Amino acid sequence: MTENRELELYLHIPFCVRKCLYCDFLSAPASPEVRRRYMDALIRETAQRAEDCRGRRVTSVFLGGGTPSVVDTDGLEKLLETIGERYALSPDAELTVEVNPGTVDGAKLARLRRAGVNRLSIGLQSADDRTLAALGRIHTWQQFLDAYYEARQAGFTNINVDVMSALPGQSLSEYLDTLHRVLALKPAPEHISAYSLILEEGTPLWQMAQEGKLKLPNEDTDRLMYRETKRLLQSAGYTRYEISNYAKEGYACRHNCGYWTRRDYLGLGIGAASLLDNVRFRNGSDLERYLENPSGCREEVQVLSPQEQMEEFMFLGLRMTEGVSEAEFVRLFGRGLEEVYGKVIEKNIREGLLQRITGRDGREDGEERLALTELGMDLSNHVMAQFLLS
Amino acid sequence: MADVDQSKIRNFCIVAHIDHGKSTLADRIIEQTGLLTSREMQAQVLDNMELERERGITIKAQAVRTVYKAKNGEEYIFNLIDTPGHVDFNYEVSRSLAACDGAILVVDAAQGIEAQTLANVYLALDHDLDVFPVINKIDLPSADPQRVIEEIEDVIGIEAQDAPLISAKNGIGIEEVLEQIVTKIPAPKGNPRNPLQALIFDCIYDSYKGVIIFCRVMEGTVRKGTVIRMMATGAREEVVEVGYFGAGQFIPCDELSAGMVGYITASIKNVKDTAVGDTVTDAENPCAEPLPGYKKVLSMVYCGMYPADGAKYPDLRDALEKLQLNDASLNYEPETSVALGFGFRCGFLGLLHLEIIQERLEREYNLDLVTTAPGVVYKVYKTDGTVVELTNPSNLPDPSTIERMEEPIVSAEIMVTSEYIGSIMELCQERRGRYLGMEYIEGTRALLRYELPLNEIIYDFFDALKSRSRGYASFDYDIKGYEEAKLVKLDILINREEVDALSFIVHADSAYERGRKMCEKLKDEIPRHLFEIPIQAAVGGKIIARETVKAMRKDVLAKCYGGDITRKKKLLEKQKEGKKRMRQIGSVEIPQKAFMSVLKLDDRK
């Protein structure tokens, strides 16, 4: 076994103040009592799993949800403490916590910073209070501003802001206003995630759309929002390093890049997914069971065949603008990229969806890579589906 | 079995409107005649094909022999011959009836007489069968047996006062039905010493025994070793085995003589040699005349069937071959489509028959099919005096060489409660129906008579009828003949390329409307591509409708769901799966179901 193999930790906090109308993540409001019991269970699971991860260097930790910031700071501190004690945490590890404006204040943020958190991901979504209300968000633009500057004050120098386009009732100018306001923050965020709204089946927003009660931007507007995101953020000095993610130099999210490059990660908490040594598994999503026996909830264990590993390598790797390395493919699978995917690659290059590049991050290093073109990024699902082998 | 007393045999069938309880009554008769214990009973013994049971209808005629000890102390042999319950199989029904001496008419105590009740009872009377009625479902709260008895006497004109009042489902009154079978259905006639004359009413193919002929012996005797000849097809073979029908099994016996119902095997390899309705005779000592009523079965509805995966063409051919062994009314010949590649043009008795075959190919033979829109057989009279029977729209000759075209017409009877007469008449009008007349039955219901073009009723007429009458209308039809009509071929162009498999024949007056709807439908069915795709409808090269599928400009899954890669992959798999069910035509990928879209154009419901 290789010592020093990298590992990422994901910890799921399935609680929020109120469910947003578009959200289909495993998350719901809960009483302080349930939240406390859950944190106890999560800390127990974190401690118990440490044994499996001996000899691994943890390079990133991500507390996601839900809204991790709704749980007591004591609980979060204790969780981070447990990680620090039980895992080989790399000194330069990225430690991210997702926060929702309206659930944090200066004191809480300062405590998180002191506990080792060095990156915050703040869910803004829109700068328009009416749109925020229509999405069921619990905060206003002003509350976001407060949270943002409190975070800066608390010493956070790596902040992501989430924004969303194609929202109900959203006009192009309203969306651009959101982007402009985010870019005008002083200092501006180091990282911006810009998603377009996806109506997930079963969510209230989806239901409203089904009933024809939702006024969504038309295709042309949606399109413009998408294009303008790229144009504006790039001109403001951000690099698009993945389909929906933009970062200033050196601030790409290490944790998320791990998912796309298939680094091993351990998911802790209910519903959390893991990838360890090419085995994917996840915890079940039954809260009661988890509270009783947090380490006994693993299910859906799937041993990835070499073919499945290749598929993932491609459809995950292609999400990133740097694409996938041909040499890396050969190294991992003992076969050439051309040999396995030659036809698909040629077709997509011909159609202007894929390109061969050398180097990464705009730096020429002679490494042969395959990446999506701008058009390919727009049609990424269409391209990626073709890389499934069965 | 050697000495069978003819007077102790009863050959009969049960006729009814669909859902009036025919199969259930058959079950009870089999059960209570003691041949089988209740435990051995499958829910519905006669319907032994999986598909039939799901659809609640009987497709292939079959027979069962049971023994009944009557109240008079005598034992009677009952041969119950089951008949298909759908208009597509009318000819098979008529041959099954011809094998019987009498019929039980089952009428639902709540619904009374329906269109098929009439059609079937008239068919039975036409075959000189003695018919006695039973009133079923008397346990329903809405049952009104007295009204139904009067209706039967008034409308059909048969005695119904002593009709058994039964509930086949709950086993009420079955004993009385059994007694009436003995007293009201005549014993068969015929002389066992006359030359052999037996009617084929069904046949199936068995991989061990070859073709198994189901027959009713009218005259003479057949036994192992008899050399038989089919009078219409001329096929000749030595009999290997004769026997009768136990429940779900063949029970060999020494001989079948006049009046008996049973089966014959004779190492016949091809079901085409044993046409339903044909007469089996002794090759050495033939009868003078074949039995009347034989008809060559004609396919009324055609469609193209293509394997979704071109490489499966031989599999489709083998599957059709096997199905045809059991179903002489299915016919097929190879054809090629520019759009769909190699496949077959298949002929069916009707749309239900088509659907059954399609489902069997998909289920039993595990084939993924692309089916083109079904059409009827048109007669094309050319200026040079020749006539073309057109089964595939793309084979329509150059319009300048066509003098006129004719389409098949049916005479239809529709039974409907008075409140829906208006909407049903409207439907028939829309379908180019010709009104022939109307009779009121019992004041609240009417029998409408129309002539309708077959191509207007093969798609969705039955559904439209049901939805416009809230399920109260029933329908039956007969092919009447051919009539001249103003017909045109509607072509569909996708990305400016004509797609032969999408062409269809339509009445000139509805060409524009159908073309427009077809384009709209296809616009919804064809996914976006990297480029814009025009969809056009054309008649004789002239574009009459157009829609456009816009170019795909965004297909992004923004969120990656944290580490939930499995979910992301499932979404991609779904997308890829969708692609697999597409046909590449030029540079456009068309979903397979688009080829059936013409079927779903009726939005007037």
Side-chain angles (χ1 to χ4, degrees):
Chain A
M1 290 301 267
T2 341
E3 286 299 314
N4 256 357
R5 276 190 309 161
E6 294 178 353
L7 177 73
E8 312 200 343
L9 289 183
Y10 173 81
L11 299 107
H12 190 69
I13 313 288
F15 305 120
C16 50
V17 175
R18 187 175 77 204
K19 196 120 170 118
C20 299
L21 300 179
Y22 55 85
C23 172
D24 80 329
F25 285 100
L26 182 59
S27 171
S31 68
E33 166 64 12
V34 170
R35 296 200 301 246
R36 198 188 47 72
R37 285 176 61 207
Y38 179 80
M39 287 310 287
D40 287 348
L42 181 57
I43 289 163
R44 253 191 300 157
E45 193 199 3
T46 305
Q48 286 162 356
R49 293 285 183 214
E51 201 56 32
D52 309 346
C53 302
R54 286 242 168 145
R56 294 194 185 244
R57 195 162 50 92
V58 174
T59 51
S60 78
V61 177
F62 196 103
L63 267 72
T67 305
S69 48
V70 300
V71 300
D72 285 348
T73 317
D74 290 350
L76 294 175
E77 279 174 342
K78 200 161 168 223
L79 179 62
L80 292 164
E81 208 173 286
T82 309
I83 294 169
E85 284 166 4
R86 303 281 184 133
Y87 293 79
L89 197 57
S90 177
D92 61 347
E94 175 191 276
L95 261 81
T96 307
V97 175
E98 282 185 333
V99 300
N100 198 350
T103 62
V104 284
D105 54 35
K108 190 169 196 169
L109 290 166
R111 282 176 69 185
L112 288 176
R113 183 69 195 90
R114 274 198 301 275
V117 177
N118 54 23
R119 184 174 183 271
L120 283 188
S121 177
I122 309 179
L124 164 63
Q125 319 313 355
S126 170
D128 183 277
D129 288 344
R130 271 179 319 177
T131 301
L132 289 173
L135 292 175
R137 301 285 299 176
I138 58 163
H139 59 88
T140 59
W141 163 250
Q142 185 56 49
Q143 280 171 301
F144 164 79
L145 278 183
D146 294 347
Y148 184 81
Y149 286 115
E150 278 160 4
R152 290 298 190 194
Q153 217 142 36
F156 283 99
T157 55
N158 184 358
I159 297 181
N160 165 60
V161 174
D162 277 345
V163 296
M164 281 178 129
S165 62
L167 297 173
Q170 192 180 45
S171 65
L172 177 63
S173 61
E174 180 198 318
Y175 174 66
L176 294 180
D177 182 55
T178 295
L179 287 183
H180 283 299
R181 288 210 224 175
V182 168
L183 294 173
L185 294 167
K186 295 260 180 315
E190 285 69 29
H191 189 288
I192 295 175
S193 295
Y195 302 111
S196 49
L197 175 70
I198 294 176
L199 292 173
E200 298 287 359
E201 201 172 323
T203 58
L205 224 51
W206 174 83
Q207 187 60 39
M208 286 160 76
Q210 292 294 301
E211 291 162 8
K213 290 182 192 154
L214 220 53
K215 200 174 156 285
L216 292 165
N218 66 26
E219 194 187 286
D220 291 333
T221 310
D222 176 35
R223 189 71 207 153
L224 275 169
M225 288 175 175
Y226 182 79
R227 287 248 172 261
E228 283 302 297
T229 308
K230 276 191 283 187
R231 202 185 57 76
L232 259 174
L233 295 185
Q234 277 167 359
S235 67
Y238 294 83
T239 303
R240 185 192 202 190
Y241 68 96
E242 192 264 354
I243 292 170
S244 315
N245 285 292
Y246 297 80
K248 293 203 164 159
E249 170 103 41
Y251 285 98
C253 173
R254 180 180 168 83
H255 186 83
N256 280 338
C257 288
Y259 293 143
W260 303 318
T261 53
R262 305 187 68 251
R263 264 200 296 273
D264 277 0
Y265 59 94
L266 178 66
L268 301 163
I270 64 169
S274 303
L275 170 69
L276 285 179
D277 296 324
N278 279 314
V279 179
R280 290 201 180 275
F281 53 86
R282 63 185 307 146
N283 280 340
S285 42
D286 184 327
L287 184 61
E288 278 311 311
R289 270 190 58 198
Y290 183 78
L291 293 180
E292 265 164 41
N293 183 11
S295 298
C297 298
R298 269 189 197 174
E299 48 189 51
E300 294 182 35
V301 178
Q302 185 199 5
V303 180
L304 300 175
S305 66
Q307 176 178 318
E308 286 165 330
Q309 296 171 33
M310 283 185 220
E311 293 171 343
E312 287 189 357
F313 180 86
M314 295 310 290
F315 77 70
L316 292 171
L318 285 174
R319 290 189 70 87
M320 295 181 298
T321 46
E322 66 175 38
V324 297
S325 154
E326 307 209 3
E328 177 79 354
F329 190 91
V330 177
R331 191 181 66 74
L332 288 170
F333 306 115
R335 295 169 72 186
L337 198 50
E338 288 299 318
E339 181 197 336
V340 183
Y341 288 116
K343 263 172 114 173
V344 173
I345 292 170
E346 284 324 307
K347 174 173 174 281
N348 284 279
I349 287 177
R350 209 167 48 239
E351 292 175 349
L353 299 169
L354 280 178
Q355 57 185 337
R356 288 200 173 88
I357 53 175
T358 51
R360 62 209 289 183
D361 302 336
R363 274 186 290 272
E364 184 70 37
D365 61 6
E367 191 187 0
E368 305 267 339
R369 305 184 70 89
L370 185 72
L372 291 171
T373 60
E374 284 273 306
L375 179 65
M377 284 261 161
D378 297 354
L379 304 175
S380 58
N381 279 352
H382 170 82
V383 180
M384 290 168 184
Q386 299 172 53
F387 282 91
L388 300 186
L389 291 163
S390 47
Chain B
M1 281 302 301
D3 295 299
V4 177
D5 180 354
Q6 251 182 12
S7 71
K8 300 284 158 42
I9 299 177
R10 297 293 181 271
N11 299 321
F12 63 96
C13 58
I14 306 173
V15 294
H17 184 73
I18 191 158
D19 286 341
H20 280 199
K22 185 175 79 165
S23 297
T24 318
L25 177 60
D27 288 353
R28 292 297 99 80
I29 291 174
I30 294 163
E31 213 172 47
Q32 298 204 8
T33 43
L35 184 89
L36 290 172
T37 64
S38 302
R39 192 177 306 169
E40 285 170 330
M41 288 292 298
Q42 282 177 290
Q44 294 193 348
V45 171
L46 286 182
D47 294 342
N48 71 6
M49 278 199 280
E50 181 193 1
L51 195 62
E52 292 177 15
R53 191 159 317 167
E54 277 175 26
R55 288 166 172 255
I57 49 165
T58 309
I59 303 157
K60 294 286 284 183
Q62 286 199 34
V64 65
R65 172 192 172 282
T66 68
V67 179
Y68 173 60
K69 190 160 188 194
K71 285 186 178 149
N72 63 14
E74 299 283 346
E75 280 204 329
Y76 290 85
I77 290 170
F78 286 179
N79 286 305
L80 168 55
I81 296 169
D82 199 21
T83 55
H86 190 274
V87 61
D88 278 7
F89 304 100
N90 264 351
Y91 176 67
E92 294 193 10
V93 175
S94 86
R95 293 307 84 202
S96 295
L97 294 175
C100 300
D101 301 299
I104 304 172
L105 170 67
V106 180
V107 184
D108 183 308
Q111 307 216 315
I113 291 171
E114 296 285 353
Q116 283 176 2
T117 315
L118 281 184
N120 288 332
V121 89
Y122 288 144
L123 209 54
L125 294 171
D126 283 349
H127 287 86
D128 291 328
L129 302 192
D130 287 12
V131 178
F132 77 86
V134 307
I135 315 295
N136 191 22
K137 306 194 189 179
I138 53 153
D139 53 329
L140 289 183
S142 52
D144 186 356
Q146 199 48 46
R147 176 183 69 84
V148 174
I149 286 170
E150 281 160 23
E151 207 174 84
I152 293 170
E153 295 194 330
D154 287 356
V155 179
I156 304 175
I158 58 173
E159 169 66 34
Q161 284 308 324
D162 61 348
L165 304 181
I166 71 164
S167 163
K169 192 169 143 226
N170 296 316
I172 302 165
I174 308 303
E175 190 71 21
E176 182 56 22
V177 178
L178 298 174
E179 282 299 313
Q180 290 203 8
I181 292 169
V182 172
T183 56
K184 296 206 164 169
I185 289 173
K189 298 188 187 74
N191 187 338
R193 280 166 294 279
N194 280 352
L196 177 64
Q197 195 183 33
L199 172 72
I200 303 177
F201 63 86
D202 199 1
C203 59
I204 60 166
Y205 182 82
D206 179 277
S207 41
Y208 298 104
K209 297 181 179 206
V211 178
I212 301 174
I213 301 168
F214 291 30
C215 67
R216 155 75 191 268
V217 183
M218 297 297 186
E219 298 286 345
T221 301
V222 60
R223 56 177 68 84
K224 184 178 171 179
T226 310
V227 177
I228 52 168
R229 182 165 65 86
M230 319 298 155
M231 298 183 77
T233 66
R236 204 186 149 96
E237 282 301 335
E238 189 180 313
V239 173
V240 174
E241 183 182 306
V242 298
Y244 56 88
F245 309 105
Q249 55 186 330
F250 298 104
I251 300 167
C253 64
D254 297 335
E255 60 177 38
L256 293 175
S257 60
M260 292 172 71
V261 171
Y263 71 90
I264 302 172
T265 65
S267 348
I268 304 162
K269 286 283 165 255
N270 193 340
V271 84
K272 291 256 178 212
D273 288 334
T274 54
V276 168
D278 198 355
T279 303
V280 182
T281 192
D282 187 330
E284 260 98 70
N285 179 23
C287 57
E289 294 281 328
L291 293 158
Y294 171 74
K295 270 199 304 196
K296 196 166 163 15
V297 182
L298 293 177
S299 297
M300 298 310 301
V301 175
Y302 279 82
C303 75
M305 285 189 168
Y306 293 81
D309 171 3
K312 292 276 171 70
Y313 174 81
D315 300 17
L316 175 58
R317 188 192 52 218
D318 293 351
L320 283 168
E321 228 166 65
K322 286 204 184 98
L323 283 181
Q324 200 187 39
L325 284 175
N326 257 335
D327 186 350
S329 50
L330 164 69
N331 66 68
Y332 61 91
E333 49 187 82
E335 71 171 9
T336 327
S337 150
V338 181
L340 301 175
F342 290 99
F344 296 91
R345 175 88 359 198
C346 304
F348 307 92
L349 297 173
L351 201 64
L352 177 75
H353 188 209
L354 181 158
E355 283 172 11
I356 289 165
I357 297 292
Q358 188 183 349
E359 282 194 42
R360 292 190 65 186
L361 287 169
E362 288 182 338
R363 274 197 221 182
E364 295 170 30
Y365 296 90
N366 211 7
L367 287 164
D368 200 357
L369 296 177
V370 185
T371 311
T372 65
V376 303
V377 184
Y378 297 96
K379 286 188 177 164
V380 182
Y381 292 83
K382 296 179 70 178
T383 45
D384 63 5
T386 57
V387 186
V388 177
E389 296 214 338
L390 186 73
T391 58
N392 179 350
S394 16
N395 296 341
L396 186 73
D398 186 325
S400 66
T401 68
I402 298 174
E403 189 197 292
R404 64 192 162 90
M405 284 174 73
E406 289 185 354
E407 63 176 341
I409 302 288
V410 303
S411 18
E413 292 190 336
I414 301 164
M415 183 84 82
V416 64
T417 46
S418 341
E419 58 204 298
Y420 299 111
I421 292 174
S423 56
I424 297 304
M425 288 178 83
E426 201 182 324
L427 171 67
C428 292
Q429 220 59 44
E430 288 165 12
R431 301 301 176 95
R432 297 192 283 129
R434 188 186 299 140
Y435 175 73
L436 295 181
M438 177 168 69
E439 289 157 34
Y440 273 92
I441 294 165
E442 289 290 297
T444 57
R445 290 194 304 158
L447 183 70
L448 286 165
R449 286 205 311 278
Y450 270 91
E451 279 178 6
L452 287 152
L454 182 62
N455 80 349
E456 295 283 348
I457 62 172
I458 55 169
Y459 301 141
D460 56 354
F461 185 76
F462 197 67
D463 292 340
L465 199 66
K466 286 281 172 202
S467 66
R468 292 196 197 190
S469 66
R470 300 192 173 209
Y472 282 113
S474 60
F475 169 61
D476 198 77
Y477 69 82
D478 261 328
I479 301 294
K480 177 180 162 267
Y482 274 78
E483 275 182 25
E484 183 171 350
K486 231 165 62 185
L487 300 163
V488 294
K489 179 162 78 103
L490 188 71
D491 294 316
I492 299 293
L493 290 80
I494 293 179
N495 207 22
R496 303 200 166 74
E497 242 181 90
E498 189 179 312
V499 181
D500 58 356
L502 285 171
S503 296
F504 58 100
I505 305 283
V506 62
H507 193 264
D509 294 346
S510 39
Y512 169 73
E513 177 83 356
R514 294 285 284 275
R516 190 177 56 79
K517 282 190 181 159
M518 186 81 179
C519 289
E520 282 170 9
K521 188 91 196 166
L522 287 168
K523 183 192 168 195
D524 293 341
E525 302 252 357
I526 296 174
R528 291 183 169 198
H529 283 56
L530 298 174
F531 45 87
E532 189 177 280
I533 305 166
I535 299 169
Q536 297 159 303
V539 170
K542 190 172 155 248
I543 305 294
I544 57 168
R546 171 181 168 135
E547 291 284 342
T548 307
V549 178
K550 286 203 218 160
M552 166 170 62
R553 297 191 303 182
K554 186 176 152 194
D555 182 13
V556 179
L557 186 65
K559 279 238 180 194
C560 200
Y561 302 108
D564 194 350
I565 306 307
T566 314
R567 178 164 171 190
K568 161 91 180 155
K569 187 175 170 188
K570 276 189 186 132
L571 288 167
L572 292 176
E573 273 168 351
K574 214 168 142 192
Q575 186 154 354
K576 175 152 186 181
E577 205 44 50
K579 280 265 153 62
K580 275 190 190 160
R581 302 190 67 87
M582 307 249 188
R583 296 301 287 218
Q584 180 94 26
I585 290 171
S587 47
V588 180
E589 287 178 325
I590 302 180
Q592 292 168 20
K593 65 179 185 317
F595 294 96
M596 289 289 269
S597 0
V598 67
L599 295 188
K600 296 160 205 136
L601 296 183
D602 188 282
D603 51 11
R604 294 169 294 192
K605 285 170 200 170

